[in-house]
Amino acid sequence: MRDTDALIGELVGNLQPVRPLSFGRGFALAVGAAALSALAVIGLFGLRPDVLSGRFDAVYLLASGLFLMLGLAATVAVIVMSRPQVGNDHSGWVWSAAMTALLPVAALIVAFGRGAQGVDAAVARHGLECLALGSGFAVLVFAVLTGWLRMGAPTSPARAGLVTGVAAGSLGIFAFSLHCADNDIVHIGLWHSAVVVVMAAVGRAIIPRLVRW
């Protein structure tokens, strides 16, 4: 029988110390990616005229604030998931998601009241543009958070992927909202919220394959 001490020495002989993941560094990287996305929106498309002139629409402020809060809360949850510890709570983002969910609910109620008058090809085309561009500007945050998860060890890759998509989608549509001048609750509640849903589905489908350990 082999000497136990020798066996242990062989097992740990090639191990190298690993630098623990820093919450502050992960959060800073994600926020930095979101800021770069916002600057890219402004640089490519320009800032909303009302924001540029200091006039803020109430619906725009409320919706943008909710998306920003959800994006930051979900980002915090993703970073915490990358460093599993006993007693960690990942559910804080759920409350922000519940509040943000009021936007599509309100949109559906208003859209139902408008009836067929609210159905228009140009409106749908504009909505699809926001969905596509908002998702596009979510990619950088998505990539940063995915890379951070790959450096960590999330115990539930599927859940981590879902929340990563929520964070990226929320911050992506917040960035694009700096340009989109549509203050209609139906447009914001349906099409802007759809960015979060789409990115959440993408994260849930892709990330578990990338962070296996």
Side-chain angles (χ1 to χ4, degrees):
M1 182 177 293
R2 301 179 63 186
D3 180 76
T4 302
D5 292 337
L7 178 60
I8 294 175
E10 290 180 11
L11 292 174
V12 303
N14 296 324
L15 295 180
Q16 298 294 327
V18 177
R19 180 182 178 184
L21 293 179
S22 165
F23 175 87
R25 181 167 175 264
F27 188 73
L29 286 173
V31 171
L36 285 176
S37 298
L39 289 174
V41 169
I42 296 172
L44 292 172
F45 302 104
L47 195 61
R48 288 170 52 115
D50 56 348
V51 173
L52 198 58
S53 62
R55 295 180 290 103
F56 300 96
D57 179 82
V59 173
Y60 165 72
L61 283 178
L62 177 62
S64 297
L66 287 172
F67 285 125
L68 178 60
M69 287 177 56
L70 176 56
L72 294 176
T75 296
V76 169
V78 171
I79 296 171
V80 171
M81 287 179 184
S82 71
R83 309 185 311 164
Q85 297 177 11
V86 176
N88 272 355
D89 183 10
H90 310 147
S91 62
W93 70 276
V94 175
W95 297 105
S96 293
M99 291 187 291
T100 307
L102 293 174
L103 293 174
V105 171
L108 289 172
I109 294 173
V110 174
F112 181 78
R114 291 177 182 174
Q117 296 178 351
V119 180
D120 182 84
V123 171
R125 184 166 57 251
H126 174 52
L128 287 171
E129 290 175 356
C130 283
L131 174 58
L133 290 170
S135 300
F137 284 105
V139 169
L140 182 57
V141 175
F142 187 89
V144 168
L145 290 177
T146 300
W148 192 259
L149 285 174
R150 285 173 60 84
M151 292 191 296
T155 56
S156 177
R159 181 179 174 87
L162 175 71
V163 182
T164 296
V166 170
S170 299
L171 294 174
I173 194 56
F174 170 80
F176 190 68
S177 294
L178 296 173
H179 166 73
C180 177
D182 199 329
N183 296 319
D184 182 30
I185 184 60
V186 175
H187 171 79
I188 293 174
L190 295 182
W191 295 105
H192 288 201
S193 297
V195 174
V196 181
V197 175
V198 168
M199 293 305 298
V202 170
R204 174 63 178 80
I206 293 178
I207 289 181
R209 305 175 187 177
L210 302 176
V211 298
R212 295 183 182 276
W213 59 283

